[in-house]
Amino acid sequence: MPRKECIAMLLAGGQGSRLGCLTKRIAKPAVPFGGKYRIIDFSLSNCSNSGIDTVGVLTQYKPTLLNSYIGVGSAWDLDVGDGGVYVLPPYMGEKGGEWYKGTANAVYQNLDFIEHYDPRCVLVISGDHIYKMDYSLMLEYHRQKQADVTIAVIEVPRDETKRFGIVRTDEEGRVTEFKEKPKEAASNLASMGVYIFNWSVLKEHLAMDENDPSSDHDFGKNVIPRMLGEGVGMYAYRFRGYWKDVGTIESYYAANMDLLKRDPEFDIFEDYLKVYSKAPVLPPHFLGPRAEVRRALVPDGCVILGEVENSVLFTGVYIGEGSKVIDSIIMPKVEIGEGCMIKKTIIGENTIVGDECRIGYESGDEVSNIELTVIADNVTLPGRVRVKKSSQIAGWRQSKIS
């Protein structure tokens, strides 16, 4: 088998606890996004669009749906010979086994997978970011700089630097400082969690990290700072497109709402770097005689008999007569009865909302600074239920309802 120029290791094992009840049953990369996608679609599509045909997907937390969704990778044209997409959960060896202890350890535990392809470079990416990126351009930059490591960076507002790994560079783009979530940032260049490593350098430093008992085995906290301290050739690749870390309910909601803007910065309709998904084949959507729809994504299989405004619907949603859905995200196969009022609410897959429910209007316990209401998947709300705004409902309980 010829040597691969670059293979990808896609980190998809995190719990995503900041997404609250949206990740109670599924991993964060499996959360639906943008009307017909799941979050992992964006990273897998980027790989396909960049000519990277070998992808190891590192799963751990609640992987069942994610494993089923990825399948053999045909939705992203990754079902190729001498490559393809592989789901890589923790496994047992002759000396036992253990859970992935961090992002670096997850890759370390799969050195055999990488060795099998003997690539010149390894692309490490996350499965929980929304962006379109041609990794082949970053790989070309990596070659031109004769780098050992290249980190994709993007400018962020100064007041958000505490959320990211922050990079400082010299005039040639060489990284001179990397600090994970600093209190005082030296620049506003944030790491996107997209790395290209020369395979030999990565292999050596993963082994060193594994033998460090004080390490959290994390790329941003441990491996990158260690490499920088030892003087490896590390460069920053500036990305100037749209990129969102949807790790919180607020950022997830905002990224979905971005799609509804008149001239969206992130355009899912353009042909450049198409985003692929494993969406089900469904009949066209149907709008009833009294339906009103304004500024909304309405995919196949939806039946709208009420009103929808400034909202993202997913496949197979039903909205009954007299119901009104405003500023909301309604996930696949949600059924909303008649006469409901729903505002600024995220409703998880397969949830049923009975007639005349009122959700997201009255004030309640604050769990979000933008007053979002979230209802998990597979919840059944009986008729005439009142759900206070800013609530999170993981199951129907009378104590949560007013």
Side-chain angles (χ1 to χ4, degrees):
M1 184 173 65
R3 187 181 192 188
K4 291 280 184 182
E5 180 63 24
C6 184
I7 71 169
M9 299 298 279
L10 197 163
L11 301 165
Q15 180 176 354
S17 59
R18 292 180 297 164
L19 284 177
C21 61
L22 295 179
T23 52
K24 180 183 178 186
R25 192 178 58 88
I26 60 176
K28 182 166 56 172
V31 172
F33 182 88
K36 64 175 291 186
Y37 308 102
R38 294 188 185 272
I39 294 173
I40 198 171
D41 283 330
F42 297 86
S43 296
L44 289 174
S45 297
N46 286 340
C47 287
S48 179
N49 290 326
S50 304
I52 294 174
D53 64 7
T54 305
V55 184
V57 181
L58 302 155
T59 63
Q60 181 161 269
Y61 174 78
K62 304 271 177 124
T64 305
L65 191 151
L66 195 59
N67 294 349
S68 171
Y69 185 72
I70 294 171
V72 296
S74 55
W76 307 271
D77 200 23
L78 290 171
D79 54 336
V80 298
D82 297 335
V85 59
Y86 297 84
V87 176
L88 303 173
Y91 61 91
M92 297 289 288
E94 68 275 9
K95 296 181 180 179
E98 57 185 352
W99 296 109
Y100 295 149
K101 296 178 289 187
T103 54
N105 176 260
V107 177
Y108 175 80
Q109 290 199 38
N110 288 282
L111 291 182
D112 288 348
F113 173 81
I114 303 175
E115 288 276 22
H116 177 73
Y117 292 101
D118 190 26
R120 298 183 193 280
C121 297
V122 178
L123 170 73
V124 176
I125 53 180
S126 297
D128 55 0
H129 296 158
I130 304 299
Y131 66 120
K132 293 183 182 182
M133 185 174 181
D134 186 345
Y135 301 133
S136 69
L137 300 179
M138 180 176 171
L139 189 59
E140 181 59 27
Y141 175 88
H142 179 81
R143 291 193 200 98
Q144 289 176 357
K145 292 294 184 181
Q146 297 183 323
D148 296 310
V149 183
T150 299
I151 304 173
V153 298
I154 189 169
E155 291 187 14
V156 297
R158 280 278 179 178
D159 60 356
E160 293 186 14
T161 53
K162 295 177 182 178
R163 297 173 49 209
F164 302 102
I166 297 298
V167 171
R168 186 164 66 171
T169 69
D170 64 17
E171 294 179 350
E172 301 298 321
R174 182 159 183 147
V175 176
T176 59
E177 182 179 293
F178 183 100
K179 287 189 176 179
E180 184 72 6
K181 299 177 181 176
K183 292 182 179 178
E184 298 293 335
S187 83
N188 67 336
L189 289 179
S191 168
M192 296 166 58
V194 177
Y195 311 103
I196 292 176
F197 298 93
N198 289 346
W199 167 223
S200 58
V201 174
L202 177 62
K203 183 177 179 181
E204 176 187 353
H205 282 82
L206 286 179
M208 293 168 63
D209 179 74
E210 188 63 18
N211 291 322
D212 180 358
S214 66
S215 175
D216 291 323
H217 309 295
D218 182 87
F219 278 105
K221 290 181 183 176
N222 308 109
V223 176
I224 297 297
R226 181 195 290 269
M227 287 179 165
L228 189 59
E230 295 182 356
V232 303
M234 185 179 296
Y235 284 82
Y237 174 77
R238 290 202 181 207
F239 180 69
R240 303 184 190 281
Y242 180 96
W243 175 83
K244 273 282 176 70
D245 177 348
V246 289
T248 65
I249 287 175
E250 291 82 2
S251 62
Y252 170 80
Y253 177 82
N256 274 279
M257 291 298 112
D258 283 347
L259 302 176
L260 301 175
K261 293 179 179 176
R262 186 179 181 85
D263 296 308
E265 185 181 357
F266 188 72
D267 189 352
I268 56 175
F269 294 98
E270 67 180 356
D271 287 335
Y272 178 67
L273 298 179
K274 277 188 175 180
V275 183
Y276 304 100
S277 76
K278 196 176 179 181
V281 177
L282 293 171
H285 69 258
F286 173 78
L287 305 182
R290 297 185 181 86
E292 294 185 24
V293 179
R294 294 177 291 277
R295 195 179 293 278
L297 291 177
V298 183
D300 287 350
C302 289
V303 175
I304 313 299
L305 304 181
E307 296 181 37
V308 178
E309 180 177 345
N310 199 53
S311 296
V312 175
L313 309 186
F314 287 75
T315 51
V317 167
Y318 177 91
I319 297 177
E321 284 193 9
S323 288
K324 186 176 291 187
V325 176
I326 302 173
D327 301 336
S328 296
I329 299 170
I330 312 297
M331 292 189 180
K333 299 180 182 177
V334 169
E335 295 180 19
I336 297 172
E338 298 181 353
C340 295
M341 300 286 286
I342 298 171
K343 185 175 183 180
K344 223 167 188 176
T345 296
I346 302 172
I347 301 181
E349 295 181 62
N350 302 306
T351 281
I352 297 173
V353 179
D355 294 343
E356 298 182 33
C357 286
R358 191 176 177 91
I359 302 172
Y361 280 86
E362 298 85 354
S363 61
D365 297 333
E366 298 297 322
V367 296
S368 163
N369 59 12
I370 57 174
E371 298 183 335
L372 277 167
T373 301
V374 183
I375 300 175
D377 54 12
N378 295 293
V379 173
T380 297
L381 295 179
R384 299 186 177 182
V385 160
R386 301 291 185 263
V387 180
K388 298 173 181 177
K389 68 181 180 181
S390 302
S391 298
Q392 287 201 36
I393 306 297
W396 184 68
R397 291 177 295 172
Q398 190 64 41
S399 60
K400 279 282 184 183
I401 312 297
S402 67

